[in-house]
Amino acid sequence: MENLNELHATYPKPKIPTAPVLSWSSIGFKSNKTPAILDLKNVLYLTSGRSAIGLALKALNIQAGDEILIPAYHCTSMVEPTIWLDAKPVFFKIHGNTKINLSHIKQLITKKTRAIIVVNYFGFLQDMEPIRKICDEHSIGLIEDCAHSFFGGTPQQPIGALSDYVIASSLKFFPIFDGGGLCSNRNSLKMFVTKRAGLAFEIKSLINNLERAFDYKRLKPLSAIVKLPLFLKSKLRKTLKHRQLKNGAEIPKISGPAAADGGFHFDPNWVDKKMSITSRLIMNFADKSRIISKRRNYYNKWHTALSDCPGGKALFPQLPENVIPHVYPYLVDQPETVFPHLKNMGVPIIRFGEYLWEGVDESICSISTDLSRRTLQFPCHQELTEKEVEWAIKSVRNALTLKQPHDTHE
Ligand SMILES: *Cc1c(COP(=O)(O)O)cnc(C)c1O
């Protein structure tokens, strides 16, 4: 499992954007008081969520041999920072509603346990008070993974307020190429000095952002003006490559963090790099209330449309007020046929936890392996149009009600 792009390369490109892409409506300019994890006292703007996990573990002074409690339902980029520090991941169970299993966590705590990572899956918030108490009793660092919960919570209970460190994956909520954050209400982050990644990365972030938007026919008049320079750029790159191949020289690679390209890997070189200027500006000026209302609205559309569908069921029975969803998670009875069918039709599907860390199987947490296999997540991000969402919903409904091949032959 090198890279999501390679893995899913056998499928056609999604017909509608899987993640937010920049449009004229993305930018709002009005200041709004929208509860988000960036309201926490201390914030570092980084290039990805996994970098933030790496820094959080550093901040907790994790040493070789220390044990880090990680949910059995995870993505591998959540585990890699632990391996980077030669610490040991220990996987804990979750319940069917994705709430963490406190009694299993208690059983797993040893003298070597130094930190726990808790995830607000798909934007649905965990109850943080009991786990805060356990962490205090055992002097364990509490890392809240808010990769799926950038917004949400309430003024009385802001997300992340009880945790030692909070990590964000901004690129999951904003139309940006790179972006993550490390935040904390309880601890200073002053010991970390972040650095600019360099001009090549800044340019790449800007260009990729525009290209993604143009790809999906966003930013219309601008796309016509900018397409020529983009075309020249790719021409130039090809010529350079050709020349270098002839001369046997190395081809320089304008690189970015793996997260930005859909990769799984954790690269220590990116841990202390600053978010690109483009991403920072877009995040700053983004219309946050639009993000919130559109996501909730599209989530509800999915929920209503699939409620009577055979072949699957919603992971969550309802959408609480304090949840700004990352995606619409849906449990499919026969993912082995439904998933490729939908992918071939160009429906974007996200599969958090599709690949679990080696050794995490039914014996550790059968709920996690079942969620890993059966939960498909459909996009509900703010940059989809009503029409696109309707098309995706119709495609999914059709796929779920399709008779399975063995039914039709009899
Ligand atoms: C995506 C994700 C991460 C990693 O974030 P990146 O920005 O992709 O590095 C961490 N935790 C969870 C739960 C995620 O979904």
Side-chain angles (χ1 to χ4, degrees):
M1 40 174 160
E2 284 306 305
N3 186 310
L4 258 181
N5 294 336
E6 278 163 37
L7 259 175
H8 292 183
T10 50
Y11 297 113
K13 188 184 128 216
K15 288 210 172 92
I16 61 175
T18 313
V21 289
L22 194 60
S23 72
W24 296 119
S25 320
S26 306
I27 304 303
F29 290 112
K30 38 178 194 250
S31 70
N32 48 32
K33 292 251 173 298
T34 309
I37 46 181
L38 296 183
D39 298 333
L40 296 173
K41 258 185 236 150
N42 307 302
V43 177
L44 281 182
Y45 289 86
L46 305 168
T47 56
S48 71
R50 66 200 75 177
S51 307
I53 296 178
L55 275 194
L57 293 174
K58 276 267 188 204
L60 290 166
N61 196 24
I62 299 306
Q63 303 292 321
D66 288 348
E67 292 174 5
I68 313 298
L69 293 169
I70 298 177
Y73 188 41
H74 56 254
C75 57
T76 53
S77 54
M78 288 169 57
V79 185
E80 291 202 15
T82 293
I83 306 300
W84 169 53
L85 295 172
D86 292 322
K88 184 182 164 208
V90 176
F91 296 96
F92 64 84
K93 291 182 206 286
I94 61 164
H95 296 294
N97 60 2
T98 74
K99 296 278 190 271
I100 57 175
N101 186 325
L102 290 167
S103 57
H104 192 227
I105 288 169
K106 282 186 203 155
Q107 284 171 36
L108 292 175
I109 292 173
T110 71
K111 284 202 167 61
K112 288 185 176 167
T113 310
R114 288 283 172 279
I116 181 166
I117 301 178
V118 172
V119 182
N120 296 315
Y121 295 101
F122 314 121
F124 288 71
L125 306 181
Q126 299 281 351
D127 184 6
M128 294 306 290
E129 263 169 48
I131 186 68
R132 176 74 259 172
K133 209 165 144 248
I134 293 174
C135 287
D136 286 341
E137 280 163 16
H138 298 270
S139 307
I140 295 171
L142 178 52
I143 300 174
E144 190 169 342
D145 183 331
C146 293
H148 301 170
S149 55
F150 193 94
F151 300 100
T154 57
Q156 296 77 39
Q157 269 203 308
I159 304 182
L162 292 182
S163 301
D164 295 304
Y165 296 97
V166 176
I167 75 109
S169 175
S170 321
L171 53 84
K172 289 184 174 134
F173 281 84
F174 292 85
I176 53 181
F177 172 69
D178 62 288
L182 178 64
C183 322
S184 181
N185 242 16
R186 303 180 143 230
N187 299 295
S188 159
L189 300 171
K190 286 217 174 73
M191 67 282 216
F192 296 117
V193 181
T194 54
K195 307 178 189 78
R196 286 254 162 254
L199 186 62
F201 170 63
E202 296 294 340
I203 293 172
K204 182 171 182 172
S205 175
L206 171 66
I207 288 181
N208 275 53
N209 224 317
L210 293 177
E211 274 177 337
R212 280 183 194 183
F214 299 166
D215 252 10
Y216 285 103
K217 309 218 167 357
R218 268 68 173 176
L219 299 176
K220 261 289 173 59
L222 181 69
S223 60
I225 305 164
V226 182
K227 259 191 187 144
L228 181 66
L230 286 182
F231 170 75
L232 291 177
K233 180 207 82 175
S234 77
K235 268 291 233 210
L236 178 73
R237 196 186 276 166
K238 269 188 204 135
T239 320
L240 275 175
K241 233 181 220 175
H242 187 71
R243 235 182 250 164
Q244 276 155 342
L245 280 178
K246 262 203 338 215
N247 300 340
E250 245 184 59
I251 301 162
K253 200 167 152 260
I254 301 177
S255 69
D261 277 327
F264 289 126
H265 280 299
F266 170 79
D267 182 348
N269 289 325
W270 284 93
V271 159
D272 61 349
K273 296 299 182 293
K274 276 193 212 301
M275 182 184 292
S276 70
I277 296 166
T278 308
S279 299
R280 190 62 202 277
L281 283 172
I282 294 172
M283 271 184 77
N284 228 3
F285 292 114
D287 185 342
K288 278 121 193 148
S289 47
R290 174 172 171 268
I291 298 179
I292 289 172
S293 62
K294 286 259 180 196
R295 281 181 182 260
R296 284 185 58 89
N297 178 269
Y298 288 155
Y299 182 102
N300 282 323
K301 269 190 201 289
W302 279 106
H303 197 60
T304 312
L306 298 189
S307 64
D308 63 340
C309 230
K313 70 171 193 243
L315 178 57
F316 301 105
Q318 57 218 327
L319 182 64
E321 281 296 320
N322 65 354
V323 173
I324 313 305
H326 168 228
V327 286
Y328 181 69
Y330 192 77
L331 280 167
V332 175
D333 297 341
Q334 303 203 332
E336 290 80 6
T337 51
V338 172
F339 177 72
H341 177 81
L342 284 172
K343 288 291 282 187
N344 281 323
M345 289 180 62
V347 176
I349 301 174
I350 300 145
R351 290 185 84 170
F352 172 78
E354 182 179 7
Y355 303 100
L356 300 176
W357 197 255
E358 210 185 322
V360 179
D361 55 19
E362 292 78 13
S363 69
I364 292 182
C365 177
S366 59
I367 290 170
S368 295
T369 52
D370 184 53
L371 289 175
S372 161
R373 187 176 82 84
R374 290 204 297 134
T375 315
L376 304 188
Q377 297 121 49
F378 303 119
C380 65
H381 63 79
Q382 71 277 8
E383 299 298 346
L384 293 168
T385 64
E386 301 267 340
K387 258 208 175 122
E388 288 173 332
V389 175
E390 277 158 25
W391 169 79
I393 287 176
K394 207 169 107 201
S395 308
V396 172
R397 272 191 67 98
N398 286 343
L400 288 170
T401 46
L402 257 188
K403 284 226 167 103
Q404 299 307 324
H406 58 267
D407 295 338
T408 49
H409 286 296
E410 280 152 14

